Amino acid sequence: MAAHGCSYSALLLIICSVSVFIVADSQDTSLSGGHHAAAVEDNPQAATEAAGKTSEQPAVEERSWEATEVEEATLHEAAADKQDTPAPETEAPSPVPQPKDDFQEELVIRPLHSGDIYASFQFRTLWETDFMSGNKVSHYRLFPKSLGQVISKFSVRELHISFTQGYWRTMQWGQPFQPAPPGAELWVWFQDSVTDVDGTWKELTNVLSGIFCASLNFIDSTNTVQPSASFKPLGIGNVTDHRFLRYATLPREIVCTENLTPWKKLLPCGSKAGLTVLLKSEKLFHSSFHSQAVHIRPVCQDWQCKTTSWELRQTLNVVFDLHTSGQGKREWSLFKMFSRTLTEACPLASSSKIYIDITDDPQGELFELSPATPLLSQAMVLGDRRTFSVYDLTQPVTFGTVRSLNPLIRWKSSEGDMLRPLLHAERYVAGYGLQTGEIHTLMYNNHPYRSFPVLLLDTVPWYLRLYIHTLTVTSKGKDNTPSYIHYQPSKDRLRPHLLEMLVQLPPNSVTEVTVQFERALLKWTEYTPDPNHGFYVGSSVISSLVPSIVAMDTNITMDRPLFSSFFPCKEESSFFVRVYTEPLLVNLPTPDFSMPYNVICLTCTVVAVGYGSLYNLLTRSFQIDEPSPGLAKRLANIIRRMRGVPPL
Amino acid sequence: FDVSQSYKSHLRNCVNSGIRGSYQYSVVVSSPCFSFDCVVSSHSYLLNPFTILSCVAKSTCGLNNAVLSLFILSTVKGNVLLSAIFLSLATYQSIYPLTLCASALLYLMQRQYIPVNFRRASFWWFIVQYAFMYLGSLFVIVCLSFFLLGSWDFLPSVYGFILSVPDLTPNIGLFWYFFAEMFEHFRLFFLCVFQINVFFYTIPLSIKLKEHPVFLIFMQLAVISIFKSYPTVGDIALYMAFLPVWSHLHRFLRNIFLVCCVLLTCSALFPVLWHLWIYAGSANSNFYYAITLLFNVAQILLVSDYFYAFLRREHHLCYGLYLKRKDGSEATLVLK
């Protein structure tokens, strides 16, 4: 009995020790996770300790996977706590430990004068880690791991990728918050440590092609260029060696649900909570214009810019048409646009707001907005001071008694003129036939008295051979010589033409840039399966600092809505604008695709005719032609030979 | 016209050195005045519509033709150094005149009475001299280009371009459509075949025509103009300018009427079918390609016809004009 008792107590002891061990292990895990998070916090402030920290990072690496899950759960509660006391992330150093990652979401709705409505989603994730000093990061919280690994593996300093369906009509809709050309566009600034930029670019495009389910693997040296003046970095950084910049565009790329789904997966809340519940593809793709983009860049954390963090901005711009989505009625609501209403903000977001542009209707006689909201905000966007009604989704009072938010904009009258956009561009192909043509680019400067310079970037594929000696730039009928021209000629099947020009646009005028080209005949395998559709030429990019009518406020520390802080500006009286022209569709002469075998046979026949006749003449000589005797005589000769008698 | 003059003098020498029969004389001298023949030859180049077309197109073909003509002139005059220099200039512009080396060597050796015999030292010594002059001037010109440009990039861009045919713009030759429709797997093979085809006729033609180097030059020029990778009508004009020199072969030509008709028709149809394909859009590339084929077949027939006539005339010079069979009836000559 005592032995039994001993064994029972021993068993109990073992069980107790094991349970204690398990509990201690889990506590240890959370403790070490917290320790690691504290270590990450210390990192920006003590970059020199990073070397010491790396030693303990591999040790906690194994545990960090669990730490992630535990951390997210605790963060969920922490975020819920933080909603009551939002701590602005641009404060001066405070004793309270700053939030490690920050996520903000906003939606801007702007009714357009043509009756359409423009909705722009912006999601910003700030990630405080430092890649520049070569740390290997393995801890991801709000920042998506796929993009973080892409940044670290390919030493990317800035990455901008956009997928657009449709063309932005500047004259009818004004300027967009984030311009994008039709199709796919990708431009990347690499860090100085990259030795083989072209090889890294190739790998990067293939990896991004997998992440976004897009055919970015078609980006190769024949459509990649290295602009020398456009596409300066949008984040911080004083290195502007253009050897590390690559720009490529795929105008033929089609955007569909397959591209939207991985884009939504990069968001911390996924498509479950917050503003992303509105992003349903059946309504989003039933629109005139739809553009989704991802922008990654390093930004300053505070005014002194002592530390940097990574900013990931995901933007989605969509314009709903009055007649196809609006059924002709000038009345828009969230439900009509997205067939969803909002019930809650994303719990991981530090701020979640909806802005409705009511600048054109200050007294409320043009359209009516319901439910009413007391919050108003003013912001300088695109050179204009605009007023917005704000719905703050982090406040439960916004949702009202029905616990859902569905702002409704009902138009009362359809008067009013739109502010004409100051910079606008068009492009078309002139000429007839399949041999030559002419590209015309028109740039409109609608400012009444100010002229400003624009930088025009043109990428033309190699199979349209440009005659640069026919390049002319005319404004108001007179020659307008660009002050800076950078031209890189194409090489067949290797690289495209690159033309960059700095042109001064006189006030209130149209500037026309024309260049003639010749079309090449390609090998039959180089044509697309629908060769008579034509070949796309990517959009021209026109970048410029446009003088604004209202003075701008450049104090960047103030809390500004996301949509007004995308492009950094230094001057007070001008704002940065990038305009994309239409892509061109050009027909090339085609060979007959059913004829390869026939062509080979016929051409080889002709060569053989030549060879045969020359061979005959070279190897044979002239002889007198003795006619052969008739059949009877030949038979008689045979018999005679057999008999041994001389022949006839 | 210097060429035709010297050739006529050569023929007269042959006749005077004792080839039998007065009826041979009628074969040899068919035109009353030699200078008339020379004027005809120069006019047939200058007034050739093909030459005028290449001038209207502002093509550099005229310069190529000029260098080749200077080469032929200096060869016929017997100036070895100038002949080597002009040939190297012509080779520097496009690689194909390299094949004219053999004909120039044969003519110059004939003129200096060096027998063409592999066992003779004087034969090899002359070849070494000529090769040295030719390769030396070629090397000098290429190095001058290098110093002008500062890099060797021009070698693949110029000669690599001629040999590898990357540009498939339609022209009057056979290459463009062939390589536009080529299976990628066989591209290199057929490229080599087509390029070898141009250089390949040098040795057989030289062996057959070693006593007639001027006709050899004509044959080589014709073969280059037909089978080069980017032929133009200016190249055709050059070898057509030589045809009046062999006006005495007209009685032996067999297909001249057919060839003339086909050449005229194709020349007229080229712009029509080009317009229909590129501008009107009612025809496709096969139409233009067919005319290209026909044009090249006509050229090949023309050249082989003249070759046949030349060989036949040589045979008649040796064996008599009116040949009889064993039984005394009139004989027909065939190639066997």
Side-chain angles (χ1 to χ4, degrees):
Chain A
M1 278 306 284
H4 277 294
C6 270
S7 63
Y8 273 126
S9 61
L11 196 63
L12 215 57
L13 190 65
I14 290 166
I15 289 169
C16 283
S17 60
V18 165
S19 58
V20 162
F21 181 69
I22 288 171
V23 167
D25 198 348
S26 66
Q27 280 213 348
D28 198 14
T29 312
S30 61
L31 269 176
S32 71
H35 195 63
H36 183 72
V40 169
E41 277 175 50
D42 288 325
N43 254 341
Q45 281 152 21
T48 49
E49 288 174 58
K53 294 281 183 276
T54 46
S55 57
E56 69 175 43
Q57 276 176 17
V60 300
E61 217 181 280
E62 289 229 83
R63 290 198 180 151
S64 64
W65 287 104
E66 295 128 297
T68 314
E69 290 160 12
V70 170
E71 277 294 339
E72 277 201 329
T74 53
L75 193 67
H76 189 92
E77 297 150 34
D81 291 335
K82 270 191 284 203
Q83 275 172 22
D84 300 327
T85 57
E89 91 280 1
T90 52
E91 240 180 24
S94 61
V96 177
Q98 294 178 2
K100 296 162 276 268
D101 282 2
D102 183 56
F103 175 65
Q104 293 177 316
E105 56 179 17
E106 74 181 27
L107 163 64
V108 181
I109 297 181
R110 184 160 89 188
L112 302 167
H113 280 269
S114 50
D116 308 327
I117 194 146
Y118 170 34
S120 168
F121 292 82
Q122 288 226 27
F123 303 96
R124 181 171 89 154
T125 311
L126 275 178
W127 187 28
E128 294 180 21
T129 179
D130 196 13
F131 275 122
M132 310 280 199
S133 46
N135 283 342
K136 199 165 150 39
V137 180
S138 54
H139 195 151
Y140 296 91
R141 294 170 54 253
L142 295 179
F143 199 91
K145 183 176 176 185
S146 49
L147 289 183
Q149 285 180 328
V150 161
I151 299 174
S152 67
K153 179 161 191 246
F154 298 111
S155 308
V156 165
R157 205 172 87 203
E158 275 192 37
L159 185 135
H160 303 269
I161 185 167
S162 71
F163 299 96
T164 311
Q165 183 80 13
Y167 176 66
W168 181 269
R169 299 177 197 287
T170 315
M171 289 306 272
Q172 288 156 355
W173 299 339
Q175 295 281 4
F177 296 125
Q178 288 89 30
E185 186 203 40
L186 171 67
W187 57 283
V188 174
W189 275 94
F190 290 97
Q191 290 177 15
D192 311 350
S193 53
V194 176
T195 46
D196 177 20
V197 184
D198 288 320
T200 318
W201 168 255
K202 184 111 187 87
E203 287 177 31
L204 176 66
T205 51
N206 280 304
V207 165
L208 288 174
S209 167
I211 291 177
F212 291 105
C213 284
S215 34
L216 298 175
N217 51 325
F218 285 125
I219 293 179
D220 54 9
S221 65
T222 60
N223 47 23
T224 306
V225 290
Q226 228 178 299
S228 67
S230 315
F231 294 104
K232 294 261 182 273
L234 290 179
I236 56 165
N238 48 8
V239 177
T240 50
D241 187 356
H242 282 263
R243 283 182 298 131
F244 296 101
L245 169 64
R246 293 289 184 272
Y247 172 81
T249 175
L250 290 174
R252 216 187 149 109
E253 187 70 15
I254 299 184
V255 186
C256 55
T257 318
E258 273 178 2
N259 308 117
L260 184 64
T261 312
W263 187 90
K264 283 197 284 185
K265 274 204 213 157
L266 298 172
L267 295 167
C269 279
S271 46
K272 309 278 193 310
L275 291 173
T276 46
V277 298
L278 297 175
L279 301 176
K280 293 296 169 199
S281 43
E282 61 265 7
K283 277 297 205 172
L284 267 183
F285 289 101
H286 197 62
S287 55
S288 313
F289 175 85
H290 166 265
S291 164
Q292 68 201 49
V294 169
H295 302 278
I296 301 176
R297 59 180 178 173
V299 293
C300 290
Q301 271 182 20
D302 52 4
W303 172 243
Q304 284 93 352
C305 205
K306 280 199 279 249
T307 51
T308 63
S309 57
W310 287 95
E311 181 195 72
L312 164 70
R313 273 197 201 227
Q314 286 177 253
T315 63
L316 194 137
N317 295 339
V318 59
V319 173
F320 290 103
D321 187 49
L322 172 68
H323 299 285
T324 48
S325 307
Q327 286 113 34
K329 281 194 294 187
R330 293 181 83 129
E331 179 187 301
W332 290 102
S333 69
L334 274 190
F335 187 78
K336 196 167 181 195
M337 291 196 279
F338 304 106
S339 69
R340 294 280 186 288
T341 59
L342 290 167
T343 51
E344 56 162 351
C346 175
L348 299 170
S350 62
S351 113
S352 178
K353 294 196 167 89
I354 297 185
Y355 293 84
I356 314 247
D357 190 342
I358 54 169
T359 320
D360 302 321
D361 177 48
Q363 277 84 36
E365 72 252 350
L366 204 58
F367 54 79
E368 168 203 329
L369 177 64
S370 67
T373 171
L375 296 170
L376 275 183
S377 144
Q378 280 214 339
M380 281 298 303
V381 56
L382 298 170
D384 202 13
R385 180 164 285 124
R386 301 195 76 88
T387 317
F388 298 90
S389 290
V390 184
Y391 294 91
D392 191 352
L393 298 176
T394 52
Q395 311 292 332
V397 72
T398 317
F399 296 102
T401 46
V402 296
R403 297 197 197 280
S404 91
L405 177 64
N406 185 19
L408 175 69
I409 303 168
R410 190 181 295 118
W411 288 75
K412 290 191 265 200
S413 64
S414 54
E415 298 157 8
D417 234 347
M418 188 183 74
L419 185 72
R420 260 205 339 177
L422 291 175
L423 179 62
H424 167 55
E426 283 172 359
R427 196 163 73 144
Y428 59 90
V429 171
Y432 66 98
L434 292 176
Q435 191 176 8
T436 52
E438 203 168 283
I439 298 180
H440 292 247
T441 310
L442 289 112
M443 296 183 280
Y444 295 86
N445 176 1
N446 294 325
H447 201 285
Y449 53 86
R450 292 273 303 266
S451 75
F452 50 87
V454 298
L455 202 58
L456 170 68
L457 172 76
D458 245 327
T459 309
V460 179
W462 64 266
Y463 40 81
L464 300 184
R465 302 179 207 269
L466 292 182
Y467 293 130
I468 283 295
H469 72 281
T470 59
L471 176 69
T472 58
V473 183
T474 49
S475 304
K476 292 180 174 168
K478 285 185 298 202
D479 235 358
N480 181 359
T481 321
S483 49
Y484 168 75
I485 299 186
H486 173 242
Y487 174 64
Q488 195 187 44
S490 69
K491 273 198 167 179
D492 268 12
R493 301 185 178 88
L494 276 183
R495 60 169 196 236
H497 298 271
L498 172 68
L499 179 63
E500 275 189 279
M501 293 195 295
L502 185 67
V503 184
Q504 186 85 6
L505 300 185
N508 210 14
S509 68
V510 181
T511 304
E512 184 167 351
V513 178
T514 62
V515 63
Q516 291 180 8
F517 64 89
E518 183 192 60
R519 302 169 209 228
L521 184 75
L522 307 176
K523 299 184 204 172
W524 71 307
T525 48
E526 289 172 346
Y527 287 88
T528 52
D530 51 349
N532 291 304
H533 178 72
F535 285 78
Y536 282 96
V537 179
S539 313
S540 297
V541 187
I542 294 159
S543 329
S544 140
L545 274 175
V546 177
S548 74
I549 303 161
V550 186
M552 305 248 309
D553 187 7
T554 56
N555 191 357
I556 56 170
T557 55
M558 280 177 54
D559 204 15
R560 291 166 68 186
L562 293 177
F563 59 88
S564 61
S565 64
F566 186 59
F567 289 112
C569 62
K570 298 191 180 62
E571 273 189 53
E572 276 200 9
S573 60
S574 57
F575 61 100
F576 181 77
V577 150
R578 186 170 278 150
V579 175
Y580 290 92
T581 62
E582 299 98 324
L584 300 174
L585 193 59
V586 170
N587 262 329
L588 290 181
T590 58
D592 190 347
F593 296 99
S594 61
M595 290 269 289
Y597 183 69
N598 301 349
V599 165
I600 295 174
C601 284
L602 287 169
T603 311
C604 289
T605 305
V606 169
V607 174
V609 162
Y611 173 80
S613 16
L614 284 179
Y615 175 84
N616 257 346
L617 291 165
L618 287 169
T619 52
R620 296 181 186 197
S621 57
F622 284 100
Q623 289 170 23
I624 294 183
D625 180 33
E626 298 288 343
S628 59
L631 184 61
K633 259 197 172 172
R634 265 188 281 156
L635 280 173
N637 278 337
I638 292 169
I639 297 168
R640 277 185 165 225
R641 222 179 312 141
M642 283 196 306
R643 282 172 53 195
V645 174
L648 290 166
Chain B
F1 30 88
D2 274 333
V3 174
S4 53
Q5 264 185 333
S6 52
Y7 190 67
K8 295 285 186 215
S9 59
H10 161 74
L11 283 174
R12 244 179 302 155
N13 290 340
C14 284
V15 170
N16 295 342
S17 64
I19 302 177
R20 56 218 172 271
S22 59
Y23 52 86
Q24 316 283 11
Y25 200 72
S26 63
V27 171
V28 171
V29 179
S30 53
S31 63
C33 172
F34 292 144
S35 59
F36 174 72
D37 224 17
C38 314
V39 167
V40 165
S41 177
S42 66
H43 281 193
S44 74
Y45 179 76
L46 292 172
L47 295 178
N48 194 345
F50 290 148
T51 320
I52 297 171
L53 273 177
S54 70
C55 286
V56 167
K58 296 181 200 166
S59 154
T60 55
C61 210
L63 296 173
N64 291 1
N65 290 353
V67 171
L68 279 170
S69 310
L70 282 169
F71 154 72
I72 296 173
L73 176 67
S74 51
T75 309
V76 162
K77 289 287 187 204
N79 194 337
V80 181
L81 178 66
L82 273 184
S83 157
I85 290 174
F86 283 125
L87 186 61
S88 64
L89 267 176
T91 312
Y92 168 75
Q93 286 175 331
S94 65
I95 311 176
Y96 299 108
L98 182 64
T99 58
L100 295 170
C101 232
S103 42
L105 275 170
L106 283 172
Y107 188 91
L108 291 166
M109 282 199 277
Q110 200 182 63
R111 203 183 163 95
Q112 294 187 355
Y113 304 108
I114 300 170
V116 180
N117 193 343
F118 289 115
R119 281 185 273 267
R120 301 288 286 254
S122 52
F123 171 77
W124 289 111
W125 175 237
F126 188 79
I127 287 183
V128 163
Q129 277 181 311
Y130 191 81
F132 177 74
M133 282 189 273
Y134 170 65
L135 289 172
S137 36
L138 190 61
F139 180 70
V140 163
I141 296 169
V142 166
C143 286
L144 276 174
S145 307
F146 167 70
F147 287 126
L148 198 67
L149 194 63
S151 76
W152 292 108
D153 284 344
F154 74 99
L155 284 176
S157 297
V158 177
Y159 304 113
F161 183 86
I162 295 173
L163 290 175
S164 67
V165 193
D167 180 26
L168 299 170
T169 310
N171 49 42
I172 59 167
L174 298 162
F175 274 65
W176 62 278
Y177 207 50
F178 190 73
F179 289 110
E181 299 268 18
M182 174 56 59
F183 301 106
E184 280 304 310
H185 186 62
F186 295 107
R187 196 181 148 77
L188 186 61
F189 168 69
F190 277 106
L191 198 61
C192 293
V193 164
F194 269 58
Q195 297 292 357
I196 288 171
N197 189 41
V198 183
F199 294 97
F200 166 74
Y201 295 106
T202 312
I203 299 196
L205 278 174
S206 315
I207 293 171
K208 184 84 179 183
L209 293 171
K210 61 175 177 280
E211 275 120 34
H212 313 284
V214 181
F215 193 76
L216 179 61
I217 291 179
F218 164 73
M219 285 298 297
Q220 293 279 33
L221 279 177
V223 161
I224 291 172
S225 301
I226 298 170
F227 292 117
K228 72 193 280 196
S229 47
Y230 291 103
T232 61
V233 290
D235 304 317
I236 297 170
L238 181 65
Y239 80 78
M240 279 192 181
F242 282 102
L243 295 181
V245 176
W246 289 289
S247 50
H248 53 271
L249 296 174
H250 284 172
R251 60 185 292 173
F252 301 111
L253 291 170
R254 291 183 297 176
N255 306 323
I256 195 65
F257 176 67
L258 176 70
V259 164
C260 283
C261 285
V262 173
L263 281 175
L264 281 171
T265 318
C266 288
S267 312
L269 278 179
F270 262 127
V272 170
L273 291 171
W274 174 257
H275 179 88
L276 278 181
W277 173 28
I278 296 289
Y279 293 101
S282 52
N284 67 1
S285 52
N286 292 336
F287 292 70
Y288 185 81
Y289 168 66
I291 297 300
T292 304
L293 285 180
L294 209 54
F295 190 71
N296 282 302
V297 165
Q299 280 187 74
I300 289 170
L301 272 180
L302 173 73
V303 167
S304 61
D305 210 16
Y306 263 88
F307 195 22
Y308 171 88
F310 189 84
L311 291 176
R312 181 151 172 176
R313 185 177 159 276
E314 292 300 311
H315 187 267
H316 281 305
L317 277 178
C318 294
Y319 297 104
L321 191 57
Y322 301 106
L323 300 165
K324 299 204 185 322
R325 268 194 236 136
K326 284 187 199 154
D327 51 7
S329 59
E330 197 169 322
T332 51
L333 272 182
V334 291
L335 282 171
K336 277 216 182 103

